[in-house]
Amino acid sequence: MTPTHIEHIGIAVNSLEESIPFYEKVLGLKCYAVEEVKDQKVKTAFFKVGDTKIELLESTDPEGPIGKFIEKKGQGIHHIAFAVDDVNEALKAAEANGVQLIDKQGRKGAEGLNIGFLHPKSTLGVLTELCDNK
Ligand code: ZN
């Protein structure tokens, strides 16, 4: 597996509405998409910075992954996503290297990407996402 770039950085926020103005007014970025990902129990907002995106994540359910994250840790960086050629191959390669997987197989994430997560226990505490755009 050789990632080509950081596809996005996921940031957990209490509220998209309250967070978008920082990125737009202070950083001068443009929110180009807001999307609900029902099976992740989140609403997302996206900004482009070169080839990398910022993905803001607002929980839609306190029992969902972002709801639990915010309850434990508060707002902040939630995960880093690396772009790879093929998520399924990259997940297999990570597993072969002894990495604990959250997803054994790629699944659909925001923006139609195939995504899969590596467990932070195996990635120095950073929840790590792999994604491809096939
Ligand atoms: Zn992500």
Side-chain angles (χ1 to χ4, degrees), residues 7-9 32 46-49 51-55 111:
E7 214 285 332
H8 63 270
I9 297 174
Y32 69 90
F46 284 94
F47 304 83
K48 280 197 180 98
V49 191
D51 286 341
T52 302
K53 298 162 194 157
I54 300 291
E55 174 186 40
E111 298 203 296

Side-chain angles (χ1 to χ4, degrees), residues 8-10 55 57 79 81 115 117 129:
H8 63 270
I9 297 174
E55 174 186 40
L57 301 152
H79 66 274
I115 66 164
F117 281 93
E129 177 181 351

Side-chain angles (χ1 to χ4, degrees), residues 100-112:
Q100 190 183 332
L101 306 181
I102 292 176
D103 298 300
K104 293 262 176 204
Q105 285 243 321
R107 56 189 163 86
K108 278 281 167 235
E111 298 203 296

